Amino acid sequence: MSVGTIWVVVETADGAPTTISLEMITQARALADKVEAFAWDDAAALAGPLGEYGVTTIHDVGSLDGALPGVPVSGAIASAVANGAPDAILLPATYDGRDIAGRLSAKLDRSVLTNVVDLTEGDGGLVSQHAIFGGSQMLSARFTAEGPALFVIRAKSFAPEASGGAPAAVVSAPAPESGASNAAKIVATHVEERTGPKLDEADVVVSGGRGLGEKEKYALIEDLAGLLNGAAGASRAIVDAGWVPYAHQVGQTGKTVKPNVYLACGISGATQHLVGMKNSKHIVAINKDQDAPILAVADLGIVGDVHKVVPALIEALKARS
Amino acid sequence: MNVAVCVKQIPDPAAPPALDPGTKNLVRDGKLILDDSDAYGVEMALQLAEAAGGGEVTLVSMAPNGETSGLRTALAMGAAKAILVSDPALAGCDALGTAKVLAAALKRAEPDLILAATESSDGYTGTTPVQVAELMGLPSVTFAKKVSTEGGTVKVERQTEAGYDEVVSPLPAVVTVTAGVVEPRYPSFKGIMAAKSKPVETLTVADLGLDAASVGSAGARQEITNVAEAEARAAGEIVVDEGEGHLKVIEFLEQLKVI
């Protein structure tokens, strides 16, 4: 194997590694001889869970003391690179992951490839795959200069799989003094109440788009999602219009979802949306325009008015329960 | 308070996109328009400058062929002036190269606050604003869904996986705004007429004192090796609703044992 070491930036939720972290580690393990992780705050508690997936060493950045992770974590990684660079560094396409990637890219003066949906070995190095034009085409890219190569990986690109490894060693990798650039501080954290499953983990996702006509009609999407024990998503068009918060957005900008069933209501299926949901196991689309691109990827397409079909669907489901 | 907004002029998203067969870069030589995502940053900048009791909003952009049509749209909304970096040496620039150019241009504007979209609608790399902040030694707060300034600080509600964080940063700082945070105004007729005579300073790589070898395709350290058709999904069943379309959906969900 020509790839020696890959570092993976690991995020946690409620003290456990996030799914995307485990996805990246699994693929890194398939590509490289050695996989090491960078983590912060409760990094020491991850020795067991990450070792289980094949991580041998965790570089513990320590407590961030309310700072956003971008500056201190990229600083800690850049310091470690100076002492011996890995072949590649994988970062998650999340709010903080992208911050760390951008900072690290500028600190190391290396470019960064983002929106990676697959990573393979070839041409004497790593080759990344990127879905473009609504996922109708796959673009391959690689780095042409000295490493480490920086890749920002989209969620659900790989299936996480444990390898049953021993607990990882934990070494301290403190962030260097960063001065003014690290002056942004978190002063309060708000957890928004959520009923039902998380958008990117739900078995069923019901999404609404511009075809709903007005903001108030998004309640139909929430009702339908609730009846199917699913999560409510949205197209970029109605997020841009301010009907629903950004957190609901499915697409290139926004969440990647891969549910068992994706139900698209009044969504035309712009490139930007398709990239985020095209790999769902089953797709149902309801759209009044029979030429809408969403119908081309649907397993079941209903050409009809969402204002009639969705309420009828809700009534029929209520009658069953 | 002076606010600078990074804006991108992109090919019309409604037109079919194309790749250059040689370089496989996105073709950008047609007419360019203001990226919709940037209208939120422009609107936010205008509102923040006004709330702070005045100050100028300056646009900073990089585009081929001295393109200004997208800038004129933002000037018509109310921005005071623009700095455009346009140079044949910038063709094939990667995100870090773009950030080097924008950072150099932004230094000339000496803004108190720098706004940008979270990512562009054509390349959607999503790292450029943070790279700019790092190159300028500034703090950054990304994915803002609410922004206000008070004295020398900016307060941001930042989107998180679980909800949002309240983040406070001293100025100057870089803030990226998500779409939908404010409602971009439509340029008035008066604004459109005024925009025609607003100053657009056009600069080259040499004007910025940058080494041409560090930007553009010369500075890019990544390449596209292949573009191939993705595996297409098999065509599904299409049903025209005549009052019973919902029953087809029920049937489909039953088959999958979702209900």
Side-chain angles (χ1 to χ4, degrees), chain A residues 105 109 190 236 240 253 320, chain B residues 37 119 131 166 179 221 254:
Chain A
S105 155
D109 196 25
H190 298 261
R236 176 173 168 176
D240 282 8
T253 23
R320 294 167 64 96
Chain B
S37 304
E119 60 200 325
Q131 288 167 325
E166 284 174 48
R221 279 147 303 170
E254 275 175 343

Side-chain angles (χ1 to χ4, degrees), chain B residues 42-52 57 181-185:
Chain B
V42 174
E43 178 62 41
M44 180 67 83
L46 293 169
Q47 290 185 13
L48 290 173
E50 193 185 318
V57 173
V181 289
V182 282
E183 193 170 339
R185 67 194 70 183

Side-chain angles (χ1 to χ4, degrees), chain A residues 159-170:
Chain A
E161 203 178 310
S163 62
V170 180

